[in-house]
């Protein structure tokens, strides 16, 4: 009997539905050609969910997510919901999904495709062959720490508070993910925090060192202040293999790393929890409301996220390889969405990019 995987699809807002449309084409292709099947179900998240349920992520959708084998998400947010209460904003829906499924490990690989060397704002020699992996802690830190909120102090004065908190077990469980992945790569981990000014950063550094000594002394571990890491990513990104960092620094550093590759439209991510938990796959880019609905969005980050889904959740590494190679060939052939357009290349729409990829898969 052929195995059927259940994939929950949350297109979200802005360009989310467009880029996810291209993933659905690949799912259809797989269902025709592979020896397993993928059954998909759509759900709402972000502003789209707020408009329907007055909640950015409804409990009924959460339960359907839990029941799936994996989740693909497009993007959330947009100016339409700027006035919405903080805890009902589209972003709050994504944070709820991450927290409820305990998806504490966010893997954000930054890989430079040879064909896209010129799309980067950095010199070719700085980025050629770049292959780094940012492992971002995703369910702790200042994103979730209490107390938080805006307090009225009277007389027109207010106070905004967020709290950075990390415990030893939170630090060690994300550390283990990073060290494990480093063993399958170039065996080096750079741990980033601000141990020079933050107590949570001091604890992070001490716990990472202890974990390294106890369980991973075969892996090279170095520490770097997160601000220095931002600078080093621009100066000499190839010095890194795996970077492990907290939720907020990981958010910043992964955007910086994305741009090394030429476009935010190229960066996939996986958010993993316990081995048995449903995992979430999403592009690193946002909802890009300025280009939504115009067929200009680059679907490759979402398609590469789907390749990660095939690899990590469906155990279909060969097919993931195939999709990644097809992306490479499409780029080599000069097919480009506007964000990565270059001289002598052919500019295509979101949908034509998806079609070009399917054509390569058929080869
Ligand atoms: C990301 C995004 C999110 C984050 C937003 C949309 C909540 O920037 O996934 O990097 O800050 O984590
Ligand atoms: Mg971000």
């Amino acid at each position: 009997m052929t195995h059927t995987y259940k994939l929950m699809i949350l297109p979200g807002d802005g360009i989310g539905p467009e880029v996810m449309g291209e993933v659905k084409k690949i799912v259809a292709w797989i269902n025709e050609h592979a020896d397993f099947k993928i059954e998909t179900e759509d759900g709402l998240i972000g502003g789209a969910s707020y408009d329907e349920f007055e909640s950015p992520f409804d409990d009924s959708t959460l339960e359907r997510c839990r029941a799936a084998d994996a989740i693909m998400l497009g993007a959330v947010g947009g100016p339409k919901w700027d006035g919405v209460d903080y805890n009902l904003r589209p972003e709050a829906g994504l944070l709820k999904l991450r927290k409820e499924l305990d998806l504490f490990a966010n893997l954000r690989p930054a890989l430079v495709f040879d064909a896209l060397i010129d799309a980067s704002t950095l010199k070719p020699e700085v980025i050629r062959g770049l292959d780094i992996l940012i492992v971002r802690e995703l369910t702790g830190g200042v994103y979730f720490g209490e107390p938080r909120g805006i307090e009225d102090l009277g007389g027109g004065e207010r106070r905004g508070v967020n709290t950075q908190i990390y415990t030893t077990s939170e630090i060690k469980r994300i550390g283990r993910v990073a060290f494990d992945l480093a063993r399958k790569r170039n065996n080096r981990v750079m741990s980033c925090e601000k141990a020079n000014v933050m107590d949570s950063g001091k604890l992070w550094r001490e716990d990472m060192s202890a974990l390294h000594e106890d369980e991973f002394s075969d892996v090279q571990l170095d520490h770097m202040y997160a601000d220095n890491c931002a600078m080093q990513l621009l100066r000499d990104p190839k010095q890194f293999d795996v970077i492990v960092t907290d939720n907020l620094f990981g958010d910043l550093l992964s955007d910086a790393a994305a741009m090394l590759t030429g476009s935010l439209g190229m960066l996939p991510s996986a958010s993993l929890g316990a081995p048995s938990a449903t995992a979430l796959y999403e592009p690193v880019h946002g909802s890009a409301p300025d280009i939504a609905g115009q067929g200009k969005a680059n679907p490759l980050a979402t398609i590469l996220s789907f390749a990660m889904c095939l690899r990590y959740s469906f155990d279909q590494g060969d097919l993931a390889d195939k999709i990644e190679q097809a992306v490479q060939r499409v780029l080599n052939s000069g097919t480009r969405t506007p964000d990565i357009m270059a001289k002598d290349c052919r500019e295509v729409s979101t949908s034509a990019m998806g079609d070009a990829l399917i054509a390569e898969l058929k080869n």
Side-chain angles (χ1 to χ4, degrees), residues 76 91 94-95 98 108 136 138 143 247 251 254-255 282 284:
V76 296
E91 290 81 357
L94 177 55
L95 297 185
R98 290 171 177 170
R108 298 191 160 183
R136 167 189 177 193
L138 202 60
Y143 272 61
N247 205 343
D251 184 41
S254 61
D255 262 30
E282 53 174 319
V284 171

Side-chain angles (χ1 to χ4, degrees), residues 267-302:
L267 226 74
S269 86
S271 303
L272 314 174
S276 60
T278 306
L280 166 70
Y281 301 86
E282 53 174 319
V284 171
H285 65 67
S287 59
D290 53 320
I291 59 163
Q294 300 171 37
K296 288 182 180 168
N298 183 347
L300 292 178
T302 313

